[in-house]
Amino acid sequence: MSIINTVSTTRADLPSLDLMFPQELISPEVSAQLPSDLEIRPLASTDYKRGHLDVLSGLSVVNDLGEVAWVNQFHAMRATPCAYFSIVILDKASDKIIGVGTVFIERKFLRGLGSVGHIEDIAVDKNYQGKKLGLRLIQALTHISESSGCYKSILNCNDANIPFYEKCGYVKKENEMVFFK
Ligand code: ACO
């Protein structure tokens, strides 16, 4: 499947959302497994107001620089072709984001000019954890990575989250090294 950046969605129920990438890249199987009051879709340029950073703050320090800065970052990421794919799970009744995640597609010279999907910044609102929404995020992001032709999908996590990622089908391999400034 070819991946192109786009500025809008064709879905009838989302007529005016300005999405990071086409809704069609979200696995229909994953969408179908969500409860009917929830929706999984690409990040939209208006999602600052829907609590995108509130959910991310469950993972790490956010340092909110305001909506204008957030929107500029959204556009900068979308302008990088076929690289950033951020998704959200939305509670339709409250119009609030309750789950977030991203896959970054890295192009390589190795493996016949192959690509690797880096899964990043996964978080589910505390009130919604334990309902398989984290699993759905990982399934959707892995689907995007595979659809992009990546030969593998990888991620870093702490020891406490290893069982979660194992439930998602991931296996532990090698180590992470960090150089702190
Ligand atoms: N230890 C053991 N098992 C776990 C854990 C855990 N810490 N977390 C989830 N599981 C299991 C669940 O019990 C479930 O198992 P089951 O299929 O047998 O019922 C399975 O994993 C799927 O769990 P979900 O319900 O999909 O998990 P949830 O929606 O709660 O999301 C997440 C998990 C994303 C880790 C959530 O707890 C969270 O947001 N935590 C805070 C932020 C965070 O740590 N994010 C991950 C950072 S790593 C990264 O971003 C690459």
Side-chain angles (χ1 to χ4, degrees), residues 59 121-124 129-132 134-135 156 160-161 163 165 167:
L59 168 61
D121 300 344
I122 307 299
V124 172
Q129 288 178 9
K131 300 174 187 294
K132 304 243 189 285
L135 172 65
N156 293 327
N161 281 327
Y165 287 110
K167 287 276 170 74

Side-chain angles (χ1 to χ4, degrees), residues 1 3 43 53-54 58 63 68 79 98-99 117 124 151 178:
M1 180 190 298
I3 292 178
L43 186 70
L53 294 184
D54 295 336
N63 290 336
V68 171
I98 54 151
V124 172
Y151 66 86
V178 181

Side-chain angles (χ1 to χ4, degrees), residues 103-122:
V103 61
F104 169 71
I105 310 294
E106 174 202 12
R107 299 179 71 117
K108 299 179 84 74
F109 285 103
L110 293 170
R111 305 256 183 172
L113 307 181
S115 297
V116 171
H118 296 263
I119 291 187
E120 296 281 343
D121 300 344
I122 307 299

Side-chain angles (χ1 to χ4, degrees), residues 54-94:
D54 295 336
V55 180
L56 261 185
S57 68
L59 168 61
S60 190
V61 177
V62 162
N63 290 336
D64 185 355
L65 300 181
E67 184 170 7
V68 171
W70 186 97
V71 171
N72 285 342
Q73 183 78 326
F74 174 93
H75 287 297
M77 291 168 84
R78 190 169 63 184
T80 310
C82 308
Y84 293 99
F85 298 87
S86 295
I87 64 174
V88 298
I89 296 178
L90 189 82
D91 181 321
K92 293 193 262 187
S94 64

